[in-house]
Structure formats: structure tokens, C-alpha cells
Amino acid sequence: MYSSLSVSKRLLLIHVLAIRLLFIRSELSLNTTNEYLNHKCLDSQGKYKPGSKYEELLISNTKRFYVDSSLRQGYTLFGSNTLSAVLQCRGDSYGPKCRDCFVTALAALLRKCPWYKGRIIWYDQCLLTFAGKETTGMIDYDNIFCMSNAKKLGDKLGFASVWNTLLDNLTTLAISRVNYTEPDTFYSVGETQFKGDTVYGMVQCTKDLSEYACEECLGFSRLRFQDCLNNKRGARFVGGSCTFRFEFYPFIAEQVQNTYS
């Protein structure tokens, strides 16, 4: 015979499986332009057991994230000493687009990092991260990477000045938080010129950071990834706290561009 505890655990696992299938079905119907970028399973934070208090907290908060009214502005979080969770959508991906990206990211994390307390995934339109400790409001210096176009510009010194100036200007605009209807959005876009071509750029920090932390995160990543960013026809660094991207084509939909000369 099964004990009541065993039955309870079996029912909980069935409930978790049902949630997974719901998210996976939803994922299949999404816009395929939301490109998967990367993910990390954080071994150092260990794993949780099925039916544990951690899993109960995780399930309740992922369900809350899906219906959270904050997704109208493209952001939601939960922070405690046992679980932190952050969903940050790209500045132009809010409302239903943000919710869809969350569904996609969560389904992928359940497959790629099962039972991990710490896990993080990046898509073109959103970041989703979980941790088995309090991390909100802190700069993530560890979970960061850079991607760049294989094509080079052939003017390393000249372009270094261009992208550095673009990053400086976009950082200043993002932390000033004056150009957008949502006052706590660390997000800005703009464009500049390089030898007759238009360079489009974007910066964003997660909303749990302070202005100083946002600027510090972008500055740290700039130094770390100079070689990845410089002399390339498009590149980005992406982290758990901040991101910067530039391309030689417009990649932000329906967004007024700030022009820098």
C-alpha cells in the first residue's frame, strides 16, 4: 500500500508534469523570431528534491509570474533567502510578448536544467533566472557572455571610438530614465554613423539594480569584452544584470531612435 506521503508526492509530480506540458504546448505556438541565445545550469547552488518546500515555492512563483500585471512593463521578480527569480523582457517586448517569452524560457529551463536551484536562460526578447539564494539588486559578474558577427570592419581603432561613445550615450540615457513611460526602465536605444553606415545600439539593465549598479555593470562588461565587440559588424554582451548590443541594421521594432554623431 502507498502511504499518504507517497501519494502526496506522486500527485505533486503529476501537477508539475502538467505545468510542464502546458508550457511546452504554449512554446510551440510562439513567434519563432524570439531567438534562443544561451543558458547555464548553476551547479554550485545544488539541486532541489521533488516535493520539497523549494519546489512548492518555485511552482507558486512561476504561476504568479505568468499572471503578474507587471508584465505590462516587461518585468517581474521575487526575492528571498531561499529563492530569487527575475524575468526581464527587452524594452520593446512587454505585455503579451513578454508573457510569451517567459513561457518559452521556462519550458526550456525545465528541460535543460531539471531540478537545479540556480539556472539562467537568455532569449532575444527576455532573460529568466532562478537562484537558491537572495540575488535581487546585485550585479551578476559571473553569468555573462559575448556574441559577435564573424565579419570584420577592417578599422579596429576607428570603430572602437564609435561603439564606446555609443555605449556611453546609451548608458547615460538609460539611467536617466526620462524618455520612457515606465520610470524604472533601464533601457535605451539609439544610432550613430560609421563611414556612411548607420550603427544601431541598445542597452538594458534589470530593473532591480540601482543607477550606479547599472552603470557599473555596463562598464565592467565593456572592459571584459573589448576584443569581442571591436571591429565587428554587429556584437553584443549579455549577462544576468545588463546587456549591450549594436548592429548595422535596425533590430528594435517600433522604437524611436536617439541619434548620436
Side-chain angles (χ1 to χ4, degrees), residues 23-244:
F23 286 141
I24 291 171
R25 284 199 303 270
S26 299
E27 179 186 5
L28 295 176
S29 65
L30 297 181
N31 190 329
T32 57
T33 61
N34 184 27
E35 180 188 3
Y36 161 80
L37 302 179
N38 199 1
H39 78 280
K40 288 184 71 174
C41 308
L42 306 180
D43 297 288
S44 61
Q45 295 185 25
K47 295 186 177 183
Y48 61 91
K49 295 181 179 180
S52 64
K53 292 292 185 181
Y54 185 91
E55 184 179 60
E56 292 178 7
L57 187 61
L58 179 65
I59 291 173
S60 66
N61 277 282
T62 51
K63 290 169 67 177
R64 181 184 65 81
F65 273 25
Y66 186 76
V67 298
D68 193 343
S69 60
S70 296
L71 293 189
R72 289 198 301 267
Q73 286 80 43
Y75 179 81
T76 187
L77 67 77
F78 174 82
S80 73
N81 59 357
T82 56
L83 171 65
S84 294
V86 172
L87 171 67
Q88 175 74 70
C89 291
R90 200 173 70 186
D92 65 329
S93 298
Y94 42 84
K97 288 177 68 176
C98 185
R99 184 173 289 106
D100 284 350
C101 193
F102 167 63
V103 169
T104 301
L106 182 60
L109 272 185
L110 289 169
R111 295 194 307 270
K112 296 175 182 293
C113 301
W115 315 117
Y116 280 82
K117 289 184 177 181
R119 41 191 169 176
I120 182 170
I121 193 164
W122 296 268
Y123 278 82
D124 195 37
Q125 294 182 12
C126 69
L127 155 75
L128 178 63
T129 178
F130 295 101
K133 57 184 179 180
E134 178 63 81
T135 60
T136 56
M138 305 175 188
I139 300 174
D140 185 348
Y141 291 104
D142 299 320
N143 302 303
I144 186 168
F145 62 98
C146 187
M147 305 168 62
S148 60
N149 194 314
K151 294 182 179 179
K152 295 185 178 182
L153 295 168
D155 186 354
K156 188 172 184 179
L157 184 61
F159 189 63
S161 175
V162 171
W163 74 259
N164 271 288
T165 300
L166 180 62
L167 177 53
D168 285 340
N169 289 330
L170 292 178
T171 300
T172 299
L173 182 61
I175 64 177
S176 69
R177 302 188 296 187
V178 296
N179 276 15
Y180 300 95
T181 55
E182 170 56 35
D184 294 326
T185 298
F186 290 121
Y187 167 75
S188 65
V189 296
E191 62 186 49
T192 189
Q193 295 292 312
F194 178 70
K195 294 186 175 181
D197 288 329
T198 302
V199 184
Y200 301 87
M202 178 201 78
V203 303
Q204 186 169 20
C205 297
T206 55
K207 284 172 57 177
D208 56 310
L209 297 185
S210 66
E211 290 92 339
Y212 173 81
C214 177
E215 189 172 18
E216 168 69 20
C217 181
L218 291 165
F220 170 82
S221 301
R222 175 216 304 265
L223 293 175
R224 181 171 177 178
F225 294 118
Q226 288 186 70
D227 290 340
C228 174
L229 298 170
N230 201 20
N231 199 28
K232 305 295 173 56
R233 289 197 64 86
R236 69 174 93 182
F237 62 72
V238 186
S241 299
C242 65
T243 184
F244 166 59

